Amino acid sequence: QVQLVESGGGLVQPGGSLRLSCAASGSISSINAMAWYRQAPGKQRELVAVTSNGGSTNYADSVKGRFTISRGNAKNTVNLQMNSLKPEDTAVYYCNLDMWDRSRWLNYWGQGTQVTVSS
């Protein structure tokens, strides 16, 4: 079993910044990728940013140039630096981990952290 815990969410004014962090623990073997998703009220969950074990990154068009995903210095951590936040960024942000375990791929989700962008 793998557990993911997000932190860093909160209330921020438009144009402000937040840094989200995710720490994974448990029976972690070989990580393929870590990602951030978000789900706004009444909307489907969407991919925000992903980083592979090889170092490649990809971002949703809506956050390009504003958000940066990176692996943390501590093992099994990932961060999301969010700048120039907009009201439409308001959502619950979820950390996601994809890994290889013995003979199968596994995918895990954190509980989510609320980000609210409002005046």
Side-chain angles (χ1 to χ4, degrees):
Q1 179 78 5
V2 173
Q3 299 82 41
L4 302 177
V5 178
E6 302 98 334
S7 63
L11 175 65
V12 65
Q13 292 183 313
S17 298
L18 284 174
R19 181 176 180 270
L20 305 183
S21 297
C22 173
S25 62
S27 302
I28 301 172
S29 55
S30 180
I31 297 176
N32 179 61
M34 297 189 76
W36 287 95
Y37 287 73
R38 68 185 181 187
Q39 187 167 21
K43 304 293 184 180
Q44 293 185 327
R45 188 172 298 185
E46 65 175 348
L47 177 66
V48 176
V50 60
T51 180
S52 71
N53 195 47
S56 65
T57 59
N58 195 24
Y59 298 89
D61 289 340
S62 60
V63 307
K64 286 181 179 177
R66 300 189 297 120
F67 291 11
T68 302
I69 188 170
S70 62
R71 296 291 294 272
N73 291 329
K75 287 186 176 181
N76 307 320
T77 60
V78 64
N79 303 314
L80 184 69
Q81 179 65 47
M82 306 186 295
N83 299 325
S84 302
L85 284 162
K86 304 175 181 179
E88 50 263 46
D89 294 319
T90 296
V92 176
Y93 284 71
Y94 297 90
C95 180
N96 178 268
L97 182 150
D98 184 66
M99 72 176 201
W100 178 257
D101 182 24
R102 295 181 177 84
S103 62
R104 59 180 178 171
W105 292 102
L106 297 176
N107 192 260
Y108 297 92
W109 293 91
Q111 81 288 351
T113 185
Q114 177 70 47
V115 172
T116 302
V117 185
S118 176
S119 298

